[in-house]
Amino acid sequence: MLDTLVVGAGLCGLSLAGKLQSAGHDYLLIDARQRLGGRIESVPETATAAAADLGPTWFWPATQPRITRLVAELGLSSFPQHDSGTILHLAKGDGSPEPLPQSSVHIQARRLGGGMGTLVQALAQRLAPERVRLGLEVKKLQAYPDHIEAECWNGTEALRITARHVVLALPPRLASTRIAFAPELASALHTTLRATPTWMAAQCKAVARYPLPFWRSSGLAGNAFVTHAQAVLGEVFDACGENGSPAALGGISALPPAVRIAVSRVHELMVFSQFAQLFGPAAAEGELFMRDWAQEPFTCSALDIAEPAAHPQDGVAELAAPQWGDKLIFGGSETAGQSAGYLEGALDAAARIWQQLSAPTALRHSSRADLRDNHLGLEKFARMVALLREESIDKYVFGFKQALIRQQREDITQLVLTEVVAGTYKQALEYLHTLPLELAEAVVENGRASLTPALLAPFMGFSTDLLSQAQTHNASSCAISGFPLEQTLNHAYVQAIRRDLAALWREFALALNEDLLQRMEAASQPI
C-alpha cells in the first residue's frame, strides 16, 4: 500500500511530489494526460523560433516569492517581459488602432528562458521515473478506515491503487464532476468545489512566431487591446525571446468557447487577420500555435464554460481542510491561501499539503509515555512550526522592503533576519502555551523537561534554511542592486548573522524548556 497517491501532475502535484521524493516517502504521482505540467504547456524554443507558452506565461517577483525562489533554486534563466513602446487600442472592427497613453501593461513581470515548460522539466528531473504514471485517470475514490482505494482507467483497463492518503492536485470543479466519492462528500463541500472557478479554463491562447520583431522597429510594444464586438483576440502581447529574438506575438481569445468551435475551420485565419489589423501585413504570416483550454477535458469542466469567467478566491477554508479522517486532501492552485489560480498559488497549495502530510504521526507509537500521551499536541505544534517556517521567507522579503523604505543603509540582512527569527520563536512560544499537554508522565533530566527535544525538533535547520533563502533572494533582487554588501554576503557578514541566529536559538530553547518546567510544577501542585 502506498503512503500517498498524488492525482494531478501540474505545478502543485509536481512540487509536492518533489518534497515527498526528497523526504523518502512512498508515493505515486499520476495524471490523466500523457504529459506533465497540467495547464503549463510550452512549444519548445529553437535556434530560430521563440518558446510558445500556451498556458501560464509570467511570474511577478515583487509579489510572488514562492515561484521566484523556485526559479532561482532550479537555476532557470528569466528575463523581463518586453513592455516598452506604444500600446495600441482597437475599438472599431473596421477602424485602425489608436495609441494608449499608458506606458506598460505587465508591470515587473518576468518570463522563463525557453518557456514555462522548462520549469516542468526541471521539477520532473527530481522525481524517480517509477514514481510517475501518465495516462491514468481516477474515476472513483472509496474510503476505508485506514486507506483509500482509487479506481483508475488507463484507456484500456481498470486499475486499483490503494494509499493511506490521496491528494487531488487538480481544479476543484474537475474533482467534483469527474470523480465519484464513496461515501459522498458533505453537501457544503461539494457545493464549494463546484462553485470554485478554474482559472483560465475556458480561454484560448495563440502564439505566432515570426522571423523578426518588426513591430518594435515601429516603436510598438507589441501590447494591444481589442474591445469591439467582433474582436478575435481581446489582448495581445510581445511573446519574443530575450532581447527580441526569436520573435513572436501572443494573444488571448475574445471569442466564447462555443463561437470558437463554430469557426474552427477559419479560426487561424481570423487570428492572423487580427494580428495584421494591429501590426500591419507582416503579422499576417507566421507559424501559429493555439491551445483552446475549453476543449481540454482535464482542465475545463462544463461549469467553467457555462458560467462567466471569474477568479478563484484565496484562502477558502473548506478547500484546505483534509477530509475522510485526514486521508483525503484537496490541492491545485485554486485551493491556495494566497494567489489562487496562479503558479504562485499552486506552490502555496503544495506547501500547505506538505505540512498536512508531514506531521510526526510516529510519535503516537513511541514507547515513551510522555510522547505517546501528547502525540496530538506535538503534531499540532509541528504543523504550526511548519507553517511558520514557510511564512518566514515572505516575512523576510517584506521586512527587507520596509527597511529600504525606512532608508536603512547598513546590516539590513542581519537586522531583518534576526527580527523574523525572533518573531517566529515568539509566535511558537505563544502557540505552545495554548496547547493542553499531559505532563503527568513527563520527567526532568539535568534541568531539561523530557518533552523539550520533541518540541524543538520541528525547528531543526530553520535558521540555516532561512539564511540560505535570504541569500538567494538578495542575489536575485534588482531592488538592492545599490547595496552590494547585501546582495552578495561575504564570509564575515554571514558568520556574524549565524552568531546572532544561534544566540536567538539558545534563548528560544531555554524559554521553551522553562515554560514546560513551570507547567510541570503547576500540574504537580495539589488542587
Side-chain angles (χ1 to χ4, degrees), residues 254-450:
L255 301 175
V259 176
R260 296 198 296 265
I261 293 174
V263 301
S264 59
R265 292 186 178 181
V266 294
H267 196 187
E268 290 191 10
L269 292 176
M270 293 170 68
V271 169
F272 273 126
S273 177
Q274 182 85 88
F275 281 140
Q277 190 176 13
L278 290 166
F279 301 107
E285 295 183 9
E287 183 182 19
L288 185 66
F289 298 91
M290 288 198 298
R291 173 63 66 221
D292 190 339
W293 292 101
Q295 301 303 311
E296 293 285 320
F298 301 122
T299 293
C300 185
S301 70
L303 291 170
D304 289 307
I305 296 175
E307 298 182 5
H311 201 287
Q313 296 181 12
D314 289 347
V316 178
E318 295 91 337
L319 298 178
Q323 307 294 323
W324 288 353
D326 294 349
K327 296 189 293 292
L328 176 65
I329 301 176
F330 288 93
S333 182
E334 283 73 18
T335 70
Q338 295 180 331
S339 301
Y342 295 107
L343 298 173
E344 180 77 2
L347 297 176
D348 180 276
R352 182 255 305 165
I353 297 166
W354 171 241
Q355 293 162 16
Q356 292 168 328
L357 291 173
S358 60
T361 55
L363 290 173
R364 71 189 65 183
H365 306 299
S366 172
S367 60
R368 279 175 48 188
D370 60 336
L371 294 182
R372 202 168 52 245
D373 293 344
N374 288 289
H375 73 269
L376 290 177
L378 292 170
E379 287 181 3
K380 286 182 179 180
F381 187 72
R383 286 196 290 268
M384 171 57 72
V385 172
L387 180 61
L388 292 174
R389 292 182 68 152
E390 285 288 341
E391 293 176 343
S392 62
I393 184 60
D394 297 339
K395 292 178 179 178
Y396 169 79
V397 173
F398 178 79
F400 204 107
K401 292 178 181 177
Q402 293 299 111
L404 293 178
I405 292 172
R406 296 194 305 267
Q407 297 187 343
Q408 176 78 32
R409 308 301 297 180
E410 295 180 353
D411 302 331
I412 305 177
T413 303
Q414 186 172 13
L415 290 171
V416 176
L417 275 175
T418 53
E419 287 177 3
V420 171
V421 170
T424 299
Y425 290 155
K426 181 175 183 291
Q427 285 182 271
L429 287 172
E430 291 172 349
Y431 183 73
L432 173 63
H433 201 65
T434 68
L435 285 178
L437 298 176
E438 296 291 336
L439 300 173
E441 301 290 341
V443 297
V444 179
E445 299 175 355
N446 298 321
R448 186 176 71 175
S450 57

Side-chain angles (χ1 to χ4, degrees), residues 145-227:
D146 63 347
H147 71 277
I148 295 175
E149 183 179 82
E151 295 184 12
C152 307
W153 178 254
N154 67 1
T156 57
E157 62 179 338
L159 302 172
R160 283 179 168 79
I161 301 173
T162 58
R164 295 181 180 87
H165 303 94
V166 171
V167 175
L168 296 179
L170 67 167
R173 278 182 171 168
L174 286 186
S176 69
T177 57
R178 297 190 69 91
I179 299 176
F181 295 87
E184 292 185 358
L185 301 174
S187 59
L189 173 59
H190 184 66
T191 298
T192 300
L193 293 171
R194 291 173 63 86
T196 302
T198 307
W199 184 232
M200 299 298 288
Q203 295 293 333
C204 176
K205 195 168 183 182
V207 177
R209 291 167 162 175
Y210 301 99
L212 295 171
F214 48 83
W215 55 95
R216 292 192 185 183
S217 61
S218 301
L220 301 178
N223 292 324
F225 297 95
V226 185
T227 57

